[in-house]
Amino acid sequence: MKRNAKKMVTTVLAGVMVMSMGMNAFAEVPDDGLTITKTVTTDGNTYAPNTTFNFEVTPGTGKGADENSLAAPDPVVVYPGVDKGLNVVGAAQFAPNKEEPTSAVYTNNKVKITVNSGVFTKPGVYHYQVSEVIPQNEDKYEGIKYDESVKDLLVYVVRNEEDGTFTVDGV
């Protein structure tokens, strides 16, 4: 009996560990939007570059069943992002400051992603992608390595019971 109890406890603990490693981060959306932080790393003897970094949010792809059927093998439905559901406000602007000592790291976090709950027409999970806009060759700042990665952003939309409108509950 003791031996079976130990096996059961071990199995439950292993399951909890696996679940904790596979879960996504989930955060409420602040009133002023999500913040994008752009960091520029230098050799420590160089001033911040005199340039601007821009970002864009685009609707991602859906996953699972289509909106008319829940017969797909994956029961989790993720809808493609709705156009203008998320919007980028501002840009990460850097400029040299010759009165401050040089640094190895410069950070700018004035870029916001705001949420427009009014464009969502049903509750669910919506997929967006966030990326840095890579300038054309003539507009690139010399010596800068731009971030070409694309970040996935899942938006959780719920229906308000009182008035039937939709709000973003988390990202």
Side-chain angles (χ1 to χ4, degrees):
M1 185 71 165
K2 278 185 173 182
R3 195 164 141 169
N4 286 340
K6 284 183 180 179
K7 283 183 183 179
M8 189 167 84
V9 168
T10 304
T11 303
V12 169
L13 286 174
V16 168
M17 285 177 49
V18 168
M19 287 299 291
S20 68
M21 291 188 304
M23 302 297 270
N24 290 330
F26 184 79
E28 287 185 32
V29 181
D31 291 337
D32 63 345
L34 304 168
T35 301
I36 296 177
T37 302
K38 176 64 180 177
T39 302
V40 175
T41 305
T42 71
D43 59 4
N45 297 314
T46 305
Y47 292 109
N50 188 17
T51 191
T52 301
F53 297 90
N54 294 295
F55 297 86
E56 67 181 349
V57 175
T58 55
T61 57
K63 162 181 141 4
D66 66 34
E67 60 186 32
N68 299 318
S69 167
L70 292 177
D74 188 347
V76 176
V77 178
V78 177
Y79 299 110
V82 176
D83 194 34
K84 302 207 186 320
L86 297 179
N87 301 292
V88 175
V89 178
Q93 296 178 333
F94 291 84
N97 182 352
K98 296 183 178 171
E99 295 177 16
E100 293 288 324
T102 56
S103 174
V105 177
Y106 296 97
T107 301
N108 184 306
N109 59 359
K110 295 180 183 170
V111 183
K112 294 282 185 185
I113 297 176
T114 59
V115 177
N116 181 4
S117 296
V119 300
F120 296 99
T121 59
K122 61 184 170 187
V125 180
Y126 293 84
H127 177 221
Y128 288 89
Q129 294 184 314
V130 180
S131 60
E132 185 175 321
V133 176
I134 308 298
Q136 299 300 319
N137 286 337
E138 62 273 0
D139 294 330
K140 283 188 175 181
Y141 193 88
E142 185 180 343
I144 294 290
K145 181 179 177 190
Y146 293 88
D147 185 0
E148 296 182 15
S149 66
V150 176
K151 310 291 189 234
D152 292 310
L153 195 62
L154 296 177
V155 176
Y156 296 81
V157 177
V158 296
R159 180 190 310 267
N160 293 327
E161 294 298 326
E162 296 100 32
D163 60 6
T165 61
F166 300 99
T167 58
V168 173
D169 190 45
V171 177

